[in-house]
Amino acid sequence: MGIPEKIKEIEDEIHKTQINKATEFHIGILKAKIAKLKRELEENRHGKTVSTGKGSSGYDVRKEGDATIVLIGFPSVGKSTLLNCLTNANSKIASYQFTTLTAIPGMMEYRGAKIQVIDLPGIIKGAASGKGMGKKVLSVARNADLVLIVVDVFQPKHFSILVKELAEIGIKVNKKPPNVHIHKTEKGGISVSIDQGSLISESMVREMCRIYGIHNGRITIRDPDLTTDDLIDALAGNRVYPNSLIILNKIDLIDTNTLDAMIPFLEEDVEPVAASSNLNIEMLKESIFNRLEFIRIYMRPKGEKTDYEEPLIVRKGTRVKDICAKLHRNMLRDFRFALVSGKSAKFEGQKVGLDHVMLDEDVLTIIKKINAI
Ligand SMILES: Nc1nc2c(ncn2[C@@H]2O[C@H](COP(=O)(O)OP(=O)(O)OP(=O)(O)O)[C@@H](O)[C@H]2O)c(=O)[nH]1
Ligand SMILES: [Mg+2]
């Protein structure tokens, strides 16, 4: 029996099984088996885990700028119109579905940050399981720093379908990585550290580890509400957790009262816009900028004045080593230490190493090795 047939067989078994306390364990195990088989299927297809569409035509876009965001949505919701008004790009717009056939990048400049926006073909329900080019399209979101989920004002429910499709291929938008720490060892069997009263049992953790071929190691779970699905995500290891924003487009087609009544029923962080008439686009740019959590770093070359005019724009959580890598390809090799002033420093001009985490508006001086040019 091939892998797809095996998956089908287990899915049928899950459908037949009534979900209750007594069957919970069994269903958890079946789900883990499916997730593992799906991963195997991907590996067979791509030679490794879910790819970003590498080697495929049209979907490979080199990351450029300070961050990359993608537009995901059903056909004709206005993704290309949106790309064109956010950036300098000129993606084809038409009233028929599937107008966009490849990934089209554009660059949005906002408050000193260069943000790459990628327009994509429309996707439909079932995309993750291979409908149309859906899977390849969805995969582009894997490397994105932010996913813009675009929905038509008359089809707001499409939002949950899109989130599900993304989740199917391991892109978990607006979710936190599960609080599971897996430390594999050479021998000694499996030891599980889990709080009493947790949703998941120790025997379930052991069984799932066995399915995923982990026979030795320490598993630490620090979240009593962790579900079997979360544990599968942690064991599968190829999940990503990008931020997202929901864009409700074409609001020019409904009156303000209808819109006001609709917003509370949608998920939070909805951005109501009308791309074709440039309505709320500045507000959307501001939300994108905030969601990307940029910080500004002022560089002070050794013995010189701080450059407050053109800060370096980087993401929250950036370390000194990330900045070195961004500045010059030899900077990491030549790095001796750095001096930091500002919110992340204990005092003015604190001497720090490569792992120091920078904060907004810090002033940074990098000191190179004596013999470095
Ligand atoms: N009324 C109105 N129409 C819009 C708006 N934005 C886009 N449209 C129209 O919607 C249609 C589809 O727009 P596109 O930008 O091509 O949509 P798309 O999501 O890129 O479509 P695909 O590439 O086929 O997936 C076009 O006729 C646009 O003019 C809007 O804000 N209001
Ligand atoms: Mg399009």
Side-chain angles (χ1 to χ4, degrees), residues 22 45 70 103 109 113-114 122 153 200 227 266 297 333 343:
R45 243 179 229 158
V70 295
E109 295 206 17
K114 287 193 172 64
V153 75
I200 211 160
T227 62
L266 293 165
I297 307 295
R333 191 195 64 192
K343 286 182 207 141

Side-chain angles (χ1 to χ4, degrees), residues 151 153 155-160 246 248 254 256-272:
V151 290
V153 75
Q155 307 281 355
K157 297 238 168 70
H158 280 170
F159 158 73
S160 51
I246 310 161
L248 190 64
I254 58 168
T256 36
N257 289 342
T258 317
L259 180 65
D260 287 346
M262 205 170 155
I263 299 270
F265 292 101
L266 293 165
E267 304 282 321
E268 49 188 302
D269 293 329
V270 172
E271 300 290 327

Side-chain angles (χ1 to χ4, degrees), residues 76 78-81 91-94 98-101 119-122:
S76 281
K79 298 178 296 300
S80 303
T81 314
S91 187
K92 188 178 172 193
I93 297 169
F98 299 107
T99 306
T100 309
L101 298 171
D119 179 23
L120 290 167

Side-chain angles (χ1 to χ4, degrees), residues 172-177 227 229-230 233 240-243:
K172 310 263 166 168
V173 291
N174 282 355
K175 271 198 84 184
K176 284 211 171 72
T227 62
D229 290 339
D230 295 333
D233 283 346
V240 289
Y241 298 84
N243 269 337

Side-chain angles (χ1 to χ4, degrees), residues 74-81 92-100 119-122 249-253 273-277:
F74 273 60
S76 281
V77 294
K79 298 178 296 300
S80 303
T81 314
K92 188 178 172 193
I93 297 169
S95 57
Y96 52 85
Q97 302 200 329
F98 299 107
T99 306
T100 309
D119 179 23
L120 290 167
N249 191 30
K250 307 193 185 182
I251 59 162
D252 54 310
L253 298 179
V273 303
S276 58
S277 43

Side-chain angles (χ1 to χ4, degrees), residues 106-131:
M107 196 61 84
M108 160 180 148
E109 295 206 17
Y110 191 71
R111 292 219 259 144
K114 287 193 172 64
I115 301 166
Q116 183 183 41
V117 187
I118 303 178
D119 179 23
L120 290 167
I123 58 151
I124 44 174
K125 194 171 172 198
S129 44
K131 238 186 200 157

